[in-house]
Structures are given as structure tokens and as C-alpha cells.
Amino acid sequence: MLNPVKRAHAIGFSGTVSGILASAALSGLYVYDVAGIGWLLGFVAWVPWLLALSQRTSLRATLLCAYGMTVAYTATGFSWFGAAIGSYTQAGPATGVAVLLLAAPLFQPQIWVFACVRFWATRQIGLWAGGLVAIAAWVATEWLVPKMLGDTLGHGLHPSALLRQSAAWGGAAALTAALLITNECLALVLARRAQGAAAMARPLAIALGLPLLLAGTGLVALQTAPVPSGKPLRMGLVQANIVDYERLRQEKGAHAVVREVLDTHFAMSYDAVVRQHVDAVLWSETVYPTTFGHPKSADGAALDQEILGIVHAAKVPFVMGTYDLDAAGEYNAAAFVQADAGLIGMYRKTRLFPLTEAVPTWLDGPALRRWLPWTGHWLPGSGARVFPLRLADGREIPVLPLICLDDVDTSLALQGARLGAQAIVTLSNDSWFTTHPQGAKLHQAVAAFRSIETGLPQFRVTTNGYSAAIDATGAIRVEAPMGARHLVVGDLPVPVPVPTLMVRWGDWVGQASAAVVLMWALGTAWLGVARHPALVPHLELLRKRNDHSLPLNVRVFVLPPWARLVAGVLRAFARGSLLWMGAAMLLNDNLQSNTLAQIRLFATLFVAPELASWCVLWAFAARATTDRDTLVVRSGARSMRLALRDIAAVVPWRIPVPSRGVDVMLASGLRWPYALQVNDPAAFSRALAASGGPAQSAMALPHSPSRFGHPALKFVLLPTVLALVAFRLHQHIAYGSSFGEYYTFGLRAYAISFGLWWAAWFMGVVLCAAALRAAIEVASGLIAFLQPAWMVPARAVLERLGLLALYAGLPGWLALRALGG
């Protein structure tokens, strides 16, 4: 019989394996969307593994549990990829799957990063905060280390028309984070079953509420989306279903294969133009298997002319997959051919598939080519480009071309949207998925997210499936089956798009997640330093030195309820207007460039109510002191006295509006009718206690303002420095020297121009400070809710990070703009 220790280890190992296998099985069903409702499993699939992971008591056991999950998840969700690679390289499907499973930690690195961060963070800052940091680590890893297939958990929610709409503001990364939060909450519910309903209530509410919130957001987005007007773009997608060019070359010869490919595409394009009356024709990736426009032989030149003749006769633009050539080498490319102008441009594929299309320079060489003869030799393109489709009816529609793996790169689609694209045209060769249609379906879902994130419709053609027309909400309007010769004719509206939040901010969820992990890491490092035995005495001495109790003598504002309400409403309106104005400037390009309009809005919505609030406050300004055993509040000749023995407690305001302050609770149980607004409630409470008043309130938060937080530095010196640099750059660009405008138009014009530049930077600094303040308050509130014990140190760190972002972020942004310009 096993002894108790070995028996416990056996049970623990069995539980770990069971958790891994259960989560892997559920994840596989989620990835493949079994029965059309498999996407629902995404909210529960990782719960068994999370429960098993929570039982690991050492980092070694945690890493083993994470390794097992990477292997199991790869096996159930992506074994088709290993089989496809094995078939392509002629190593065999079994070998391909085996290699993929061995490389599973590299294929799914976010899993073991998540597990490691979760192990440390939950032990340092608790289950709630630690779990959120671990989820941020998962998302940040996928942002920093783009995966080969670009996959993330959020892509599995594509079948849900409501949930996937959240990708417009947060990308697929936001959906991944939501899925992980829900799984963590449900795991916590199960772990707290023995503690009763009260312990399970909060995580259960979040687990149920978050998907409902995403669904509600999606419903609002769909219901409020503008109804497109104007003539749609009608495009013919030629899915010829001719695969395995290499085998066909060996059987028929290269020229015969090219002839068969072109004749098939000519016939299907004729059907699209003559019978279906399409506006443009789209052929798949590398359908023309040689360089177009740079023929390598006389036969190649003749084929080029034949294609140009077909396009000229069709009188509609063609976009086709081919190759491009220059002195540096060859490129996988998309050719844009106009009926009246011939070849007008080439887009070169930016994101090449590792090894099969391109080999890193440091790895390439004759030995590698001998061992892996199937490795590619193409060069990457230079990024997103937008080309015009000039239609027969006179319309000109700017489109963004993407080729195969380009559509898993969010940044490429966002760049194209910023360049003015009104539609995406995607060319792909998914022939290596012929026996693995689940791979082609995943590729299609990932591509559909590019339309949601950019708000652009997409025409996507593949060699043998699934070619489709995808609208701006990610809905597949029409598609071809896998493994069939099929002409897809899609009609999609192509209005001038309203930029989504993703287009404006980029993949901000990934960046924010990386910032959260960095903050946790810095906090951990700081705590490690602060707890070092050699530093503890010095820190204790410093704490005692700063903990002096001075006699009470501070400025206060003695506010009756109505005065606090009026001042609070005015200030809340003013500060809220800053956030609104910042959002309006981000969403309205005209407002960004109109300084006078900004000044009017700023003065009306912020300056006026802020000044009115200050007028109300200063009408009740006073000075608070102690006179023996009495609190004295004096304003001019008037004064109010309150015996210290009659004060039971000094309670800080829960809602710091119009600013920080305290309520005085009397020994009789009543509240003193006047609220006191003070700059530092903690210092006020401490000084009052030192004078014989009540003990310092446990709720009082220390307020240690940094010298860099002084308004004169933030709102006078900083914008002045930035304005001087920017104004000098403007003068050199517009007038050729630092004083060019002065020499040309005189001192008055020069001074007015600088004044406008300073005003613009002043408003910019204020708006950035308001956004940072809102972020700090939200983060502090979240920390106070999840981990109250960490509130004080966390807020101190957040305040300093906010100042760092203001003083380093704005100059850094200006420097990048100057260098980029």
C-alpha cells in the first residue's frame, strides 16, 4: 500500500492530468465550434486546468502543469497544422504532429507565461489582483510574441454575431481577456463552494455579467451602425480548386500547368464579367506561378500580354496573385491590372510564412537548403499599401490588399485603414489545408476579425476554399465550399468608414496588458529592495522622520451641504468635459487641427465651470487651528469653535468631490453640519489627534504630493517647453528659420502664432493629465475592490507612473513626430 505522502502525490498528479485533459478536450470543441454552439465552451473550457493549476504549490509543479497544457491544447486544437506541415514537407503527417507537440511551449508560449506569472502574482497580491495580472501576461505575450498562425482564444467567438463586435474597440485580444476572466471567476466559484453562497457571489456575478455586457455592447453596435447607402461593390472571386502545382508540373509539364490554370481562370472570369456583371475580379494567391510584368522568357512575356488582353476585353479591374521581381530578389505579390492602363501597381506580401516562404539570413545556407529543399527564398514587402480600383461606372474605390498570412497581422489591416482604404481584398492559397478544412476555417475566422477591427468589408479569395465576402461586422455574406471549383459573387457596401477605436489607438489592449505586467514587475522589484535586511533600518528611520505631528494650522473650506453640492457639480462637469473633449479630439480630425475651436470648447466647458467652482469654494475659505482643547475655524472676523472632546471621529469623504475633505462626527452621534475640504485629510486627522482630538481615522489615505505634481510645473513649464520646441520646428518648416514669421509678418503675428501654439500644448497637457487622472482613479478603485490591503502602496506607484507618463510621454511623442516628420 502507498504511504499517505505518496498517496497524496498520486491523487494530485491524477487531478492535474484530469484537469489538463478536460480543458484540452473542451478547448478542442471550442476551437472547432462543434454543433454551431461550441463557442459557448470558451467561457468554461479552461476552468478544469485553472483548478489544477491552483493546487500546484511549487514553481516546478506549475511549469510541469503548464507544459502539459501546451501539449494537450496543441494536440486537440492544432494537430491538423502539424499534419499539414508534415504533408507539405513530405516528412509525413505523424512526424509533423510529433514535431509540433515537441515545440508546443514555443507554439503556445502564452500558456506557460500565464502560469508562471499567476503562480507568483497570486501569492504576492492575492487571487483577484494576481489573476488579473496573469491574464494581462497572457495577452501581453501574444502581443509581444506574435504566433505563427496569429491565433488567440478570442477568435473562437467569431460565430457569435453579438460578442465579436467588441473587437471593433478592443480587438480579438479584448475577447481573449474576457474569456480568461470568466474562466478564472468560475474556477474561483468552484474553489469556494465550501465557503457558502456569499463567498461565491462576487466571482459568479462577474462570470455571468461579463458575457452579458459584451453581448449588450455588440447589440448596441449593430443597432446603431449607420445604414450604408450608395451602390455596393460587386466582386467576383475565382476559386479554381487547382492545387498541388508541383505534382501537376511533374505529370503535365510547367507550360501545360500554366495553360490549364490560366484557361480555367479566364473562363470563370468571363462568367463573372459577362453573366454576373461584377465590378472587379479577384484571383487567389500565386495563381500566376511566375513573375508578372518582369517575364523571365519569351513564353512568359506572351502570357503577360494574354492576361493584359483579357483584362482589356473585360473592361473591369483584375487583382491577381503572382510574383514580383527587382534587383534584391523575388516577392510574393498581388498585381493590380486596369483595363485601360495595364499594370498599375504591385503589393508585396509583408508577412511571410517561416521557412516555407523565407529563411532568416542567420539560418540560411547551402547546408540548410540541402536538408530542407522545400524552404522558400522570397523577400518580405514594406508594409501596408492602398491601391485604387477604378470601376467601369466611374467610381474609384481605395482597397487594401492582403496576402495569406498578412491577414493574421492586426497592425497591417489597421495601417491600411489609416491610409484610407474602404475595403480589404485578401488573396490566399490554402491548398495545404485540402485535407484539413478546420485549418482553412480558422484562417477565415481570423481574417474576418480584420474587418471587425477596421470596419472595412472584405473580399477574400482562396485557391480551394473558403472564399467569401465578409461585411464590416465580420458576417460571412456568401462563401464557397472547401474543395470545389466555385465562383463567388459578393455584393458589399463600401462607404467611407468611420474609424474604429482600434484604427485610432491600435492594439491598445495588448499594450495596456504589457503595462500592467510591467507595473507588477516593478512593484515586485521595489518590494524586494525595500525588504532587503540592509535597507530596513534606513527605511524605518525615514518613516519616523516623516511621521512628525505638527500643530494644526491649515487652510480649509467650510462647506454647508448646498455649497459642496454646487461646487461638486460644477467641478465634476468641468473635469468630465475634459474627458469628453479628449475623446472628441481623437474621433474628430477637424477638431484636432482647429486650435481656435479647441480654445472655445476648453473655455466654455472647462475653464468657466472650474472658475465658478473655485468662486463657490473661496466664499467659504477659512483657516483651522487648535486653541488648547478646541478646534477653531476662522474666516476673517468670524470664527466657529468646537471642543475636541465633542469630536468622535474625522471621516474622509468616500467620494472626493469637489476635492479631498473630511466630515466631523460628533460624540452625540450626529454629523457636524459643515464639511471641511482639506488638501491632505490624513495630515489633518493626524494633527488633530496630536492636539488631543480623536485618534487618526484608519480610512485616511496618506497624501504625499511630489514636487513634480506642482501645477506650475505641469501646466505652465511643461507646455511652454513643448510649445517652444514644436513652434521652432514649425518655423523652420514653414518659414525656413526660427524667426522666419517674425521677419516676414512682424512681431505681432509672431507672438500670436506662438500664443496659439502654447495654448494648444497647454490644452493638450491638461487633457492628458485628465485622462491619466481618470485612469489612476479607476485603477485605484479596482485595486481597493479586489485587494484593499494594497491600496496605499499601489496608489503611490500609480501616481508616480502618471507623472512619468506625463513628463516623459509627451516629450517622447513629440520627439517621435519630429523624427518621423
Side-chain angles (χ1 to χ4, degrees), residues 180-200:
L180 291 171
I181 291 172
T182 303
N183 277 271
E184 280 279 19
C185 288
L186 289 176
L188 194 56
V189 169
L190 293 178
R192 291 181 174 181
R193 285 176 298 173
Q195 300 177 28
M200 297 189 295

Side-chain angles (χ1 to χ4, degrees), residues 190-255:
L190 293 178
R192 291 181 174 181
R193 285 176 298 173
Q195 300 177 28
M200 297 189 295
R202 185 165 66 175
L204 183 60
I206 295 174
L208 296 176
L210 188 55
L212 292 175
L213 178 62
L214 292 178
T217 302
L219 181 62
V220 171
L222 291 176
Q223 294 295 327
T224 58
V227 178
S229 60
K231 186 178 180 182
L233 174 61
R234 184 176 176 84
M235 185 168 280
L237 316 180
V238 178
Q239 180 177 299
N241 196 37
I242 301 176
V243 299
D244 200 352
Y245 280 16
E246 190 59 37
R247 179 182 60 80
L248 293 175
R249 281 194 189 97
Q250 294 174 3
E251 294 175 357
K252 303 179 180 181
H255 187 271

Side-chain angles (χ1 to χ4, degrees), residues 192-478:
R192 291 181 174 181
R193 285 176 298 173
Q195 300 177 28
M200 297 189 295
R202 185 165 66 175
L204 183 60
I206 295 174
L208 296 176
L210 188 55
L212 292 175
L213 178 62
L214 292 178
T217 302
L219 181 62
V220 171
L222 291 176
Q223 294 295 327
T224 58
V227 178
S229 60
K231 186 178 180 182
L233 174 61
R234 184 176 176 84
M235 185 168 280
L237 316 180
V238 178
Q239 180 177 299
N241 196 37
I242 301 176
V243 299
D244 200 352
Y245 280 16
E246 190 59 37
R247 179 182 60 80
L248 293 175
R249 281 194 189 97
Q250 294 174 3
E251 294 175 357
K252 303 179 180 181
H255 187 271
V257 173
V258 174
R259 187 73 265 164
E260 178 185 353
V261 169
L262 290 181
D263 288 345
T264 301
H265 281 78
F266 290 159
M268 297 180 71
S269 300
Y270 176 86
D271 184 30
V273 174
V274 176
R275 295 190 178 93
Q276 303 295 335
H277 307 291
V278 299
D279 296 316
V281 175
L282 188 62
W283 293 359
S284 61
E285 177 189 13
T286 61
V287 68
Y288 185 54
T290 185
T291 54
F292 182 76
H294 301 281
K296 298 179 179 179
S297 65
D299 288 342
L303 291 173
D304 285 1
Q305 290 303 314
E306 187 176 355
I307 292 174
L308 291 173
I310 291 293
V311 176
H312 181 74
K315 293 182 171 52
V316 300
F318 277 52
V319 182
M320 67 177 188
T322 181
Y323 297 94
D324 195 15
L325 180 69
D326 64 12
E330 282 194 19
Y331 304 83
N332 186 339
F336 282 74
V337 187
Q338 288 288 147
D340 55 348
L343 178 64
I344 64 169
M346 285 275 198
Y347 166 71
R348 296 170 174 176
K349 182 177 180 181
T350 299
R351 183 160 174 168
L352 301 176
F353 204 89
L355 297 182
T356 61
E357 287 189 305
V359 179
T361 305
W362 59 270
L363 184 61
D364 202 359
L368 179 74
R369 299 288 176 174
R370 284 196 304 271
W371 279 95
L372 305 175
W374 43 265
T375 50
H377 58 274
W378 291 283
L379 299 175
S382 57
R385 293 186 65 189
V386 172
F387 294 84
L389 279 183
R390 298 188 180 98
L391 308 183
D393 59 10
R395 288 182 294 161
E396 182 173 301
I397 300 174
V399 298
L400 165 70
L402 299 174
I403 300 177
C404 195
L405 208 62
D406 283 342
D407 61 19
V408 308
D409 189 341
T410 302
S411 63
L412 273 179
L414 298 179
Q415 290 171 17
R418 292 172 188 142
L419 290 172
Q422 290 178 228
I424 300 173
V425 292
T426 302
L427 297 70
S428 188
N429 183 351
D430 287 348
S431 59
W432 57 308
F433 291 144
T434 300
T435 57
H436 309 284
Q438 61 271 43
K441 204 64 180 175
L442 173 63
H443 195 183
Q444 184 190 64
V446 174
F449 270 88
R450 303 296 84 85
S451 288
I452 305 169
E453 292 160 352
T454 59
L456 300 178
Q458 180 177 178
F459 297 92
R460 183 173 184 270
V461 65
T462 69
T463 305
N464 63 329
Y466 298 93
S467 300
I470 305 168
D471 70 14
T473 70
I476 298 170
R477 294 305 182 187
V478 59

Side-chain angles (χ1 to χ4, degrees), residues 556-560 563 617 619-623 633-635 640 672 674-677:
V556 297
F557 298 98
V558 187
L559 303 176
L617 293 175
F620 298 92
R623 182 157 293 276
V633 180
R634 181 176 289 106
S635 176
M640 291 184 291
W672 200 41
Y674 298 97
L676 299 180
Q677 179 179 312

